[in-house]
């Protein structure tokens, strides 16, 4: 197990100096240590709760650099983190006194519009991806915040506006290029290393560093219909029931929506009278013809008396950025916890809406996501994601500014999660699984015994020393 934490000086004149010299000789990107000009910029990740200081950052320029960094990590025994877009809420994209393998310079996106395929490097964000794909009116299901990394989101699921029609991000993978713990680059697809391909689709970063993803693309936009209607929080239960009932007969084009209980910030696109108001927002995208969507979604804009309504036809790329201001990089301390719900009956709605309005920090939010449509039609054993029988996801997204409030916010989210567990089988969306130790526990809880042993066998085959342990960790060959 990789657990060594070192002082950066050991890389220069300590026992690790020969290994470091070998790495330097073959590395084309930047090798950054504390005190270097770009070190503090590169080491930062999205969650402001974490201020970790790696002994070394391998700021990779390409796959050859990733191979060199993985070999160094394995041979040195240093604790190792892998950073793609740097947006993960659990803070596992960095480490103290270890090695950060950083892919943030590897952001190229190549789109083949005829084959409807995109090749995306491991450090790209969804903003990078969408910008290039939308040139051709194409997209694949991605995140709701544009600077989220493609890699981290996809490997554990990938829930976006298009999931009802096209499934999760990982459901749209055609292949990956991955550097495993032995330093060997491998292709994984349905035809090459198929068992590894099964595992990376839901197994997170357990099996190696994915340097590129090949996605299937779908015609989307460039203009689609956005529903984004804000109601007073006092109407939350009524609105959530109306949204739930609407979805019972909604087509796949809209089975990728959500409701969110939050507080309106100082948004120049909204009337100043709404700033600071607690609200419930109905959000979603009609993934087919925008004019038809505007007509079909009209009932969702009148579930109660609207406080504000931003709904209407909008370019897809703009929609993908509308939540960016809600979660700016490095500003908030964050703790994200989720729970997959069997049903959203009136009792569950009453519990959610009552508790969500008692959030200890106004910048926090609670949302419920619809998991119908294409997400549910894929067999549970087709990928390592599993959990295809769940109908809804509750996401408890705590965002606050002061370290003194850490315990209060985290404990509140955990208590809420425990209360709602009666409506669930205890499974969660692993991208929102709490702190790193909770994510590892949740990874086991998410899978039945057969699935988990299959993942553990893959881990033993491709990472027997658990080099890649800062993730939703699966131990090699677990019982």
């Amino acid at each position: 197990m990789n657990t060594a934490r070192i002082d950066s000086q050991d890389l220069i004149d300590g026992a690790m100096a020969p290994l470091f010299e070998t790495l330097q000789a073959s590395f084309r990107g930047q090798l950054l240590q504390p005190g270097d000009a770009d070190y503090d910029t590169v080491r930062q990740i999205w969650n402001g709760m974490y201020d970790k200081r790696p002994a070394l950052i391998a700021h990779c320029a390409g796959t050859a650099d990733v191979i060199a960094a993985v070999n160094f990590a394995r041979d040195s025994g240093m604790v190792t983190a892998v950073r793609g877009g740097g947006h993960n809420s659990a803070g596992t994209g960095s480490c103290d006194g270890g090695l950060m393998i950083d892919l943030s310079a590897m952001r190229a996106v190549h789109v083949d519009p005829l084959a409807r395929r995109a090749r995306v490097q491991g450090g790209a964000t969804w903003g990078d991806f969408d910008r290039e794909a939308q040139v051709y009116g194409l997209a694949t299901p991605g995140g709701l915040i544009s600077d989220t990394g493609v890699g981290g989101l996809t490997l554990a699921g990938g829930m976006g506006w298009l999931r009802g029609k096209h499934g999760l991000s990982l459901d749209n993978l055609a292949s990956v290029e991955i550097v495993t713990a032995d330093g060997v680059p491998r292709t994984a697809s349905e035809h090459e290393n198929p068992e590894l391909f099964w595992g990376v689709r839901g197994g997170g970063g357990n099996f190696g560093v994915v340097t590129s993803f090949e996605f299937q693309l779908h015609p989307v936009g460039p203009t689609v219909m956005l529903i984004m209607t804000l109601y007073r929080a006092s109407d939350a239960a009524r609105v959530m029931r109306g949204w739930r009932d609407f979805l019972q007969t909604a087509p796949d084009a809209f089975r990728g929506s959500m409701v969110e209980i939050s507080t309106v910030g100082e948004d120049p696109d909204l009337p100043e009278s709404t700033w600071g108001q607690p609200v419930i927002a109905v959000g979603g995208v009609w993934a087919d013809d925008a004019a038809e969507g505007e007509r079909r979604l009209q009932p969702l804009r009148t579930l109660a008396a609207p406080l504000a309504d931003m709904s209407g036809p909008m370019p897809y790329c703009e929609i993908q950025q509308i939540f960016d201001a809600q979660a700016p990089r490095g500003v908030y301390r964050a703790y994200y916890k989720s729970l997959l719900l069997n049903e959203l009956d009136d009792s569950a709605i009453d519990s959610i809406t009552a508790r969500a309005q008692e959030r200890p920090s106004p910048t926090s939010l609670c949302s419920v996501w619809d998991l119908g449509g294409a997400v549910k039609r894929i067999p549970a054993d087709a990928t390592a994601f599993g959990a295809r029988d769940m109908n809804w996801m509750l996401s408890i997204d705590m965002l606050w500014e002061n370290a003194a409030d850490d315990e209060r916010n985290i404990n509140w989210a955990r208590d809420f999660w425990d209360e709602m567990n009666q409506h669930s089988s205890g499974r969660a969306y692993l991208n929102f699984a709490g702190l790193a130790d909770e994510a590892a526990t949740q990874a086991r809880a998410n899978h039945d015994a057969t699935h988990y042993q299959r993942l553990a066998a893959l881990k033993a085959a491709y990472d027997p020393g658990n080099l890649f342990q800062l993730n939703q960790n699966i131990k090699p060959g677990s019982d």
Side-chain angles (χ1 to χ4, degrees):
M1 181 179 291
N2 251 58
T3 56
R5 289 169 170 78
I6 67 168
D7 185 277
S8 60
Q9 193 63 32
D10 290 341
L11 297 171
I12 300 173
D13 55 16
M16 292 188 187
L19 288 174
F20 184 54
E21 290 172 2
T22 299
L23 176 63
Q24 286 179 308
S26 62
F27 206 81
R28 185 164 61 91
Q30 291 179 290
L31 293 172
L32 301 172
Q33 296 176 261
D36 289 344
D38 295 329
Y39 174 84
D40 283 325
T41 299
V42 175
R43 72 181 177 88
Q44 293 295 334
I45 56 177
W46 169 79
N47 190 344
M49 190 159 61
Y50 300 103
D51 187 30
K52 297 181 180 180
R53 302 185 65 82
L56 177 66
I57 299 173
H59 190 52
C60 300
T63 299
D65 281 354
V66 173
I67 293 169
V70 168
N71 287 334
F72 173 80
R74 184 192 63 249
D75 295 342
S76 68
M78 291 175 69
V79 64
T80 300
V82 179
R83 179 191 190 276
H87 210 280
N88 70 314
S89 60
T92 51
S94 188
C95 57
D96 284 315
L99 171 67
M100 175 197 279
I101 299 177
D102 173 42
L103 308 184
S104 63
M106 298 170 57
R107 297 175 61 169
V109 178
H110 173 73
V111 176
D112 182 340
L114 296 180
R116 291 185 180 170
R117 290 287 190 271
R119 176 68 67 178
V120 184
Q121 284 190 303
T125 67
W126 285 103
D128 298 329
F129 187 133
D130 292 333
R131 183 172 184 268
E132 297 301 322
Q134 277 292 284
V135 169
Y136 307 99
L138 299 170
T140 207
L144 303 188
I145 297 176
S146 67
D147 71 346
T148 301
V150 170
L153 188 87
T154 299
L155 294 174
M159 293 194 188
W161 295 127
L162 306 180
R163 65 187 181 274
K165 189 170 185 183
H166 301 300
L168 304 171
S169 300
L170 62 78
D171 296 331
N172 291 272
L173 277 177
S175 69
V176 299
E177 300 294 332
I178 182 171
V179 178
T180 48
D182 55 4
V184 175
R186 290 178 164 87
T187 298
S189 69
E190 293 286 2
H191 307 291
E192 191 171 356
N193 297 307
E195 184 70 0
L196 179 58
F197 188 52
W198 175 86
V200 298
R201 290 177 294 164
N206 271 286
F207 309 113
V209 182
V210 178
T211 56
S212 72
F213 300 80
E214 182 188 10
F215 286 95
Q216 178 184 358
L217 297 173
H218 309 277
V220 174
T223 298
V224 293
M225 174 61 192
L226 169 73
I227 175 79
M228 187 60 64
T229 306
L230 277 56
Y231 299 95
R232 290 173 176 81
S234 57
D235 290 321
R238 173 184 172 185
V239 169
M240 195 177 294
R241 286 187 176 93
W243 168 76
R244 174 203 62 192
D245 294 345
F246 179 89
L247 288 170
Q248 303 311 305
T249 57
D252 289 356
F254 192 66
R255 296 304 300 265
S257 62
M258 62 181 286
V259 291
E260 175 185 289
I261 298 173
S262 60
T263 302
V264 178
E266 295 185 5
D267 188 334
D269 293 327
L270 291 171
E272 195 168 332
S273 60
T274 66
W275 295 0
Q277 292 290 315
V279 299
I280 180 168
V282 177
V285 166
W286 182 272
D288 282 330
D289 177 71
E292 181 188 3
E294 188 163 17
R295 177 179 59 82
R296 295 279 295 273
L297 299 181
Q298 181 61 32
L300 292 176
R301 303 168 71 175
T302 56
L303 295 172
L307 185 64
D309 192 356
M310 298 177 287
S311 305
M314 185 179 294
Y316 179 74
C317 282
E318 288 187 21
I319 291 174
Q320 288 291 84
Q321 299 173 44
I322 59 175
F323 284 129
D324 287 6
Q326 202 170 48
R329 185 176 292 266
V331 173
Y332 293 118
R333 307 172 75 80
Y335 177 79
Y336 280 18
K337 192 83 168 166
S338 67
L339 190 65
L340 300 180
L341 306 178
N342 303 311
E343 296 298 337
L344 191 65
D345 59 20
D346 287 353
S347 173
I349 287 174
D350 289 343
S351 297
I352 292 168
T353 55
R355 285 297 301 264
Q357 294 182 64
E358 300 170 353
R359 303 181 317 283
S361 53
T363 46
S364 295
L365 54 99
C366 299
S367 56
V368 179
W369 303 45
D370 161 40
L371 300 184
V375 174
K376 290 180 66 66
R377 285 197 294 272
I378 294 172
D381 60 357
T383 70
F385 180 78
R388 299 286 180 169
D389 57 334
M390 295 293 98
N391 296 303
W392 313 91
M393 180 182 74
L394 169 66
S395 184
I396 307 167
D397 305 344
M398 307 306 295
L399 298 166
W400 67 98
E401 295 188 46
N402 298 319
D405 296 327
D406 286 2
E407 185 174 356
R408 182 164 65 104
N409 281 275
I410 291 171
N411 287 342
W412 185 88
R414 288 173 173 168
D415 289 344
F416 187 8
W417 193 94
D418 288 342
E419 178 185 324
M420 294 304 302
N421 206 17
Q422 64 180 302
H423 301 283
S424 172
S425 62
R427 288 177 289 180
Y429 177 47
L430 291 178
N431 277 323
F432 305 156
L435 304 179
D437 58 339
E438 293 175 283
T441 301
Q442 190 64 59
R444 184 146 199 165
N446 261 38
H447 301 281
D448 62 28
T450 301
H451 262 202
Y452 193 82
Q453 285 305 313
R454 191 175 172 186
L455 287 165
L458 272 171
K459 183 74 168 178
Y462 290 103
D463 185 16
N466 205 10
L467 172 66
F468 305 110
Q469 63 183 260
L470 295 183
N471 47 44
Q472 304 94 342
N473 195 234
I474 296 163
K475 293 184 179 178
S478 301
D479 294 328

